[in-house]
Amino acid sequence: MTAFMDQDFLLTTDVARKLYHEVAADLPVIDYHSHLQQGEIAERKTFRNIAELWLGGDHYKWRLMRTAGVPEEYCTGDRSDKEKFLAFCKVLPLAIGNPIYHWSHLELRRIFGIDLVINEKNAEAIWEQANAKLAGMDTWTFLEQAKVEIACTTDDPADDLLQHAEIAQSALKTRVLPAYRPDKAMRINNPGFEQYVARLSDVAGVKIDSFTSLIAALANRVEYFHARGGRISDHAIDIPLPTVAATADQLDGLFAKRMRGELLGDLEQAQYLRGLLEAIGGVYAKYDWTMCFHIGAMRNNNQRMLETLGPDTGFDSISDMTTSNGLVALLSALDSRKQLPKTMLFNLNPAMNEVLSTMIGNFQDGSVAGKVQFGPAWWFNDHKLGNLNQILAFGNHSVLGIFVGMVTDSRSFASYPRHDYFRRLVCRQLGEWVASGEYPEDYDALATIVRGICYENAKNYFKL
């Protein structure tokens, strides 16, 4: 019987074990999409205890705890940090098969060197040992300990990025770069849109009185980000895009309608979003950026809890919306004008694996390996089966050796062991192919693939 999460965890063949231990394990990390806060890095934030590190803001764990019957007061409420931590440890053993079970143990071992099983019996000992280690750690410690070479944050176009400048001038070994996420400009019906436009106008120095001038302001901020190391944008596509683009006059009309205080209908929102993505995509191409689309989230579904706790608190799920026709139309329109930037497609609905892994082949042009990429398993897909299925779909329909690999997509500085989890699964799958006679036992070729997926491809693709 295999020991619980031993050194060969998830590695099912001799080839997998050799590839992981000799090639993948010690490679640096390029985390090209995360939600780490630049301010917490700049100020070298410390954590008062493991509960703040693990449970503060982690909607994955809150969701698990609620599902296991833990009252909200132990998740986001006013119970003490220790009470919250003990509640988590008590229910985690019930979550067999959940990636949080594996991630938590990997974090405990790799960050703190604690080999205890997380349960109610060991909770007190874990609390004491982890907190003793945390007393000498800060955000820099987590980045450098995990060998994070590059970490990209997620930043609004109107952000001044001044703390990024502080970080760049500091002694931190990790390069921390901004990534451009214009959600507030995209979500035209959200409350405060008019106020956001006014702020963006001031920051960009562009009078925004039309859709055209909105794009000019966003382009101005792309240039600003580019000068400060930004090379990646990120966009949430949570509604189906139309197959037919709105005209310039129609887009100006939609923008004017919203600025008058009127809300747009569903089709009008989709037309506006398609127009914005098409326009800003051309800007990204000019700067040789990568445009990332995160597709298929159904967000903030519990209205009562949204009003109580706010967004991003664990009440999201997978959408089964149909996006393929509108997405292809958008990519094709950009391609026809030779303005399609490098693009990554992340899907939340696993039923779209084959849709997107075949779609990327439509827009390769030989200018760069994998110009259009099928992104790694994301959010509700980021588990053992989800990662393996993404790898299989990529391999079945594309060239797996050019895949740019894993991201944390996380707000937690403790989440970097997820890269280790992913690397073990990559090596596992390659080893399975060799063991079944589907690929030769050519370690040079296999090592090239592993180094590429786990590190080198991202470095080359994003030009970081």
Side-chain angles (χ1 to χ4, degrees):
M1 183 177 70
T2 303
F4 171 62
M5 292 185 68
D6 65 7
Q7 65 175 0
D8 295 329
F9 173 57
L10 297 176
L11 306 173
T12 54
T13 64
D14 288 340
V15 171
R17 289 185 279 272
K18 181 178 177 68
L19 290 173
Y20 173 76
H21 292 298
E22 296 183 11
V23 182
D26 292 326
L27 289 170
V29 168
I30 293 181
D31 196 25
Y32 55 88
H33 175 65
S34 81
H35 294 275
L36 300 180
Q37 297 299 306
Q38 54 174 298
E40 294 182 346
I41 301 172
E43 69 188 24
R44 301 190 67 161
K45 174 182 168 68
T46 58
F47 297 87
R48 58 184 178 267
N49 52 52
I50 191 173
E52 183 190 9
L53 177 68
W54 267 11
L55 300 173
D58 191 336
H59 58 81
Y60 285 77
K61 292 188 179 76
W62 294 341
R63 186 181 176 99
L64 183 152
M65 293 167 71
R66 293 179 190 122
T67 303
V70 176
E72 192 63 35
E73 61 193 283
Y74 290 90
C75 301
T76 64
D78 58 4
R79 287 287 183 168
S80 70
D81 288 345
K82 187 172 183 179
E83 288 175 306
K84 292 177 180 179
F85 178 75
L86 296 178
F88 173 70
C89 291
K90 181 177 181 179
V91 299
L92 186 64
L94 301 175
I96 185 171
N98 191 304
I100 296 172
Y101 189 82
H102 290 154
W103 294 344
S104 298
H105 283 91
L106 283 173
E107 291 169 16
L108 204 60
R109 294 178 180 189
R110 293 180 68 89
I111 296 172
F112 300 108
I114 299 173
D115 201 29
L116 294 172
V117 174
I118 302 168
N119 56 32
E120 186 175 19
K121 175 184 174 183
N122 292 329
E124 286 280 356
I126 294 170
W127 174 261
E128 296 297 333
Q129 293 177 37
N131 290 344
K133 288 283 184 71
L134 269 177
M137 303 174 76
D138 59 27
T139 52
W140 287 23
T141 311
F142 293 105
L143 293 169
E144 293 181 350
Q145 182 188 69
K147 298 182 180 178
V148 182
E149 182 175 303
I150 295 170
C152 294
T153 58
T154 299
D155 306 277
D156 185 90
D159 287 349
D160 58 28
L161 305 183
L162 293 181
Q163 289 176 313
H164 274 279
E166 291 179 33
I167 297 166
Q169 295 166 9
S170 75
L172 178 64
K173 295 177 183 178
T174 301
R175 290 174 61 208
V176 180
L177 302 176
Y180 186 91
R181 178 142 175 163
D183 277 0
K184 292 180 181 177
M186 292 166 55
R187 294 172 177 166
I188 190 168
N189 267 10
N190 274 17
F193 178 79
E194 304 101 308
Q195 291 77 13
Y196 176 74
V197 169
R199 179 177 173 226
L200 179 64
S201 179
D202 288 342
V203 169
V206 175
K207 182 181 179 181
I208 302 177
D209 56 8
S210 65
F211 179 84
T212 303
S213 56
L214 171 66
I215 298 302
L218 290 171
N220 172 286
R221 301 307 290 174
V222 170
E223 181 180 11
Y224 183 87
F225 274 56
H226 188 83
R228 288 152 183 80
R231 297 294 183 271
I232 301 169
S233 72
D234 184 57
H235 304 265
I237 300 181
D238 298 336
I239 59 175
L241 299 174
T243 57
V244 178
T247 66
D249 286 345
Q250 287 173 323
L251 291 169
D252 278 335
L254 293 173
F255 181 80
K257 177 179 178 179
R258 182 66 183 94
M259 293 303 287
R260 291 194 301 268
E262 300 177 48
L263 296 179
L264 305 189
D266 291 347
L267 177 57
E268 289 176 320
Q269 289 182 69
Q271 289 174 324
Y272 170 83
L273 179 59
R274 159 79 190 265
L276 188 148
L277 293 174
E278 194 168 329
I280 201 66
V283 177
Y284 300 148
K286 174 183 174 182
Y287 287 93
D288 195 25
W289 276 25
T290 299
M291 176 171 66
C292 296
F293 290 159
H294 282 81
I295 304 164
M298 192 159 60
R299 302 175 191 270
N300 304 314
N301 299 291
N302 187 321
Q303 185 63 34
R304 176 176 62 85
M305 296 307 289
L306 175 63
E307 293 171 0
T308 303
L309 300 177
D312 304 321
T313 50
F315 300 94
D316 311 294
S317 54
I318 296 170
S319 170
D320 61 357
M321 68 176 183
T322 300
T323 61
S324 55
N325 291 344
L327 184 57
V328 162
L330 169 63
L331 299 177
S332 185
L334 286 164
D335 182 74
S336 67
R337 297 197 299 270
K338 300 188 184 302
Q339 292 184 335
L340 179 65
K342 291 177 291 186
T343 301
M344 292 193 69
L345 308 177
F346 297 74
N347 67 282
L348 198 55
N349 187 346
M352 289 186 66
N353 278 0
E354 280 69 28
V355 173
L356 296 190
S357 62
T358 56
M359 188 182 295
I360 64 173
N362 300 330
F363 300 102
Q364 311 293 0
D365 59 14
S367 62
V368 60
K371 177 179 178 178
V372 182
Q373 288 263 340
F374 178 34
W378 164 52
W379 201 348
F380 292 114
N381 288 329
D382 189 7
H383 46 72
K384 186 180 82 171
L385 185 59
N387 277 284
L388 291 173
N389 284 342
Q390 190 273 347
I391 290 167
L392 289 170
F394 204 131
N396 282 335
H397 299 130
S398 189
V399 180
L400 184 60
I402 56 88
F403 177 32
V404 299
M406 175 66 174
V407 292
T408 60
D409 189 29
S410 173
R411 293 168 174 79
S412 172
F413 287 88
S415 65
Y416 282 103
R418 295 185 198 178
H419 279 264
D420 179 69
Y421 193 73
F422 169 80
R423 290 172 177 186
R424 289 172 180 271
L425 291 172
V426 170
C427 295
R428 173 195 178 110
Q429 187 54 58
L430 298 188
E432 293 286 348
W433 277 325
V434 173
S436 63
E438 298 177 65
Y439 195 89
E441 196 169 340
D442 180 342
Y443 282 101
D444 288 340
L446 291 163
T448 296
I449 293 171
V450 170
R451 280 193 299 270
I453 293 173
C454 297
Y455 172 66
E456 291 176 353
N457 293 344
K459 192 176 183 70
N460 295 331
Y461 181 78
F462 297 110
K463 296 185 178 178
L464 297 173

